[in-house]
Amino acid sequence: MTTPSPPPTPSTPPAPSAPRVTIKDVAARAGVSKGAVSLAFNHKPGLSDATRDRIFAAARELGWAPNLTARSLAGQRADVVGLAICRPAKLLGLEPFYMEFVSGVESVLSERSCSLLLRLVRNPEEEVGIQDAWWRGKQVGGSILVDFRADDPRVAGVRRLGMPVVAVGHPSLTGGLTSVWTDDATAMAEAVRYLAALGHRRIARVGGAAALGHTSIRTAAFDEAAGALVPAGAWQVATDFSGEAGARATRSLLSASGGDRPTAIVYDNDIMAVAGLSVAAEMGLSVPGDVSLLAWDDSQLCRLTHPTLSAMSHDVHGFGAEVARTLFGVIAGDGVESHPVPTPVLTPRGSTAPPR
């Protein structure tokens, strides 16, 4: 007699997989529409700060981020952005401008779960090769280009590749690439007008690297403003933006005698202005009694000196963030246009006053 087999034991059903979080879930959690979530993550106007913060908080709670891969071009990665900077590593680590600028870029990338690929290069020609390798190797979805020169070779390079980029520089330098810039000419003219209004008739400028386009723009603006306001007493010295070069330039200017010595100096960055302040003290000169000093790219350094340094201030962190947002618009094909960010404004502090 055959014993009947026992009925098969039912297998344990697999655990249901967690449903994929979507933009609709984020909208529901934040109590807004899907369109509002899209506005928030694309940094478009139309939302209050409170609503925007609520949307970002809901996305973090649910572990959701925009699907940038869907926006990528020709299979390129859209979760990595490239940035090459032509600066010595030692100087870059000391320069508050680029630290603030990169921080602003990162603030936007982190919201989109993206990374920054940063390289230091020796010259624009080397950067052309780097950008080519990044794009052909599908390492980046786009790049940020900085420190433009006249006839910059990178313009033709990225056009040939069809690579999405944003140029940080005045449109006169960037060959028709989508660009974001500060109005350095207007800011320089304001700096000279301010010092002239205080009564200074001998004004010098310690500028940055002469080959850089924004240095040339500032040089021309200083010449024009000083030519109109202090025609007999204006000097300019080019440097490499380092504190050492700024100190040498300041020492040379302040070593002149009588009417050949400036009573006010404008510096192209904060590091050189701080170095200039030290040189004035070393030479037994009072700031601002004997010489007034005015820095560019206001930073914490300018507020820690004694006296505190007057500066041409602008939101460098916000500048970096706007550049990153613009690049994502270029990658997505949103038709973003070149545009300036707010012009640097004068912030008077203890280092400027009427001459004795």
Side-chain angles (χ1 to χ4, degrees):
M1 182 176 177
T2 304
T3 304
S5 302
T9 303
S11 60
T12 304
S17 59
R20 184 171 67 87
V21 177
T22 67
I23 189 173
K24 182 178 179 181
D25 300 317
V26 175
R29 173 69 66 94
V32 298
S33 67
K34 290 192 295 182
V37 176
S38 179
L39 286 176
F41 275 90
N42 283 290
H43 298 273
K44 301 290 187 183
L47 298 175
S48 68
D49 290 341
T51 301
R52 201 178 297 273
D53 290 343
R54 192 165 74 249
I55 291 169
F56 289 147
R60 285 193 299 271
E61 291 166 7
L62 294 173
W64 181 85
N67 182 10
L68 290 176
T69 304
R71 298 189 199 172
S72 64
L73 301 176
Q76 298 295 138
R77 296 188 65 169
D79 58 346
V80 177
V81 165
L83 171 62
I85 301 176
C86 187
R87 287 282 199 284
K90 180 180 178 182
L91 178 58
L92 184 65
L94 297 173
E95 196 167 15
F97 173 86
Y98 268 119
M99 296 301 98
E100 279 290 302
F101 182 82
V102 169
S103 173
V105 171
E106 287 279 15
S107 71
V108 173
L109 300 189
S110 63
E111 291 174 357
R112 298 165 179 260
S113 301
C114 290
S115 300
L116 180 67
L117 180 55
L118 176 65
R119 283 286 296 272
L120 301 184
V121 298
R122 291 166 294 183
N123 50 59
E125 289 74 21
E126 181 181 355
E127 184 180 341
V128 169
I130 292 292
Q131 300 289 355
D132 187 282
W134 282 350
W135 186 246
R136 294 185 189 279
K138 299 185 178 181
Q139 297 180 61
V140 300
S143 279
I144 296 167
L145 308 182
V146 298
D147 286 342
F148 274 78
R149 293 158 168 78
D151 301 318
D152 199 295
R154 294 173 296 174
V155 175
V158 297
R159 284 197 182 284
R160 183 181 65 253
L161 294 170
M163 184 181 191
V165 299
V166 167
V168 180
H170 191 270
S172 63
L173 301 165
T174 56
L177 299 175
T178 302
S179 56
V180 182
W181 73 95
T182 57
D183 186 352
D184 285 352
T186 296
M188 182 58 74
E190 181 184 359
V192 175
R193 280 197 303 269
Y194 164 68
L195 294 172
L198 288 177
H200 292 279
R201 294 297 176 263
R202 300 193 303 276
I203 302 174
R205 168 176 167 259
V206 176
L212 294 178
H214 67 267
T215 297
S216 298
I217 288 172
R218 294 179 190 180
T219 298
F222 182 90
D223 276 341
E224 182 176 353
L229 298 169
V230 288
W235 302 265
Q236 298 199 66
V237 182
T239 70
D240 62 4
F241 290 112
S242 69
E244 292 85 355
R248 283 194 300 272
T250 303
R251 196 171 291 113
S252 175
L253 288 166
L254 296 182
S255 295
S257 59
D260 291 329
R261 191 175 80 189
T263 61
I265 305 175
V266 182
Y267 294 86
D268 263 22
N269 72 3
D270 41 9
I271 295 176
M272 295 195 297
V274 171
L277 189 62
S278 297
V279 168
E282 162 200 314
M283 299 179 70
L285 297 174
S286 165
V287 176
D290 295 312
V291 60
S292 288
L293 306 182
L294 176 62
W296 210 276
D297 294 332
D298 192 13
S299 72
Q300 189 67 21
L301 279 179
C302 297
R303 297 184 284 277
L304 293 175
T305 59
H306 181 74
T308 53
L309 281 163
S310 300
M312 299 306 296
S313 305
H314 63 124
D315 182 4
V316 178
H317 182 277
F319 187 14
E322 179 59 22
V323 168
R325 286 192 289 267
T326 303
L327 177 59
F328 282 116
V330 172
I331 292 172
D334 290 342
V336 292
E337 296 182 351
S338 299
H339 58 280
V341 293
T343 302
V345 296
L346 178 72
T347 302
R349 296 195 182 99
S351 67
T352 50
R356 285 178 177 170

